[in-house]
Amino acid sequence: IAMCNYHGFSMMLIGMVTHCLVSAMAIERYLGIRHGYWYSKNVTQSKARIMLLSIWMFCIFFCMLPLFGLGQYARQYPGTWCFVNTHLNSHSPWWHRLYTNTYAAINVINLLVIVT
């Protein structure tokens, strides 16, 4: 189970941090192109570093929650890899369902930001 937790955490973190960083880059490019004056006055290298660190810390924290009981990692078909348990039903604990739906919502929002 420890190896499944490690693998599930790694898989979730890689996927989530990638989407979050690409969304941040899309927003940054939008501001740079459409609001150039505001961008040149307000976006600095130190603020960008703080934003990148904040994204990484949020993603690490969020992806670690199943290790503390909020959400659940599970083996995925064919049993060779682990990820957040997406095979939940109405009998699953509400906090597992909440976590899985929140993870999905964050990724969908990131994808919408990227496409927009």
Side-chain angles (χ1 to χ4, degrees), residues 21-37:
L21 289 175
V22 173
S23 291
M25 288 174 15
I27 292 168
E28 186 264 343
R29 286 294 74 214
Y30 171 80
L31 292 173
I33 292 168
R34 299 286 294 180
H35 304 283
Y37 181 73

Side-chain angles (χ1 to χ4, degrees), residues 61-83:
F61 171 75
F62 188 83
C63 292
M64 284 181 71
L65 288 176
L67 299 174
F68 300 105
L70 181 63
Q72 179 181 38
Y73 298 124
R75 278 189 178 175
Q76 305 294 322
Y77 181 81
T80 57
W81 62 292
C82 294
F83 198 67

Side-chain angles (χ1 to χ4, degrees), residues 43-89:
V43 178
T44 63
Q45 196 171 20
S46 62
K47 287 180 184 176
R49 285 186 181 135
I50 290 169
M51 181 58 68
L52 288 174
L53 182 64
S54 299
I55 289 170
W56 271 97
M57 290 293 106
F58 169 75
C59 291
I60 289 170
F61 171 75
F62 188 83
C63 292
M64 284 181 71
L65 288 176
L67 299 174
F68 300 105
L70 181 63
Q72 179 181 38
Y73 298 124
R75 278 189 178 175
Q76 305 294 322
Y77 181 81
T80 57
W81 62 292
C82 294
F83 198 67
V84 66
N85 188 3
T86 57
H87 306 287
L88 301 173
N89 56 38

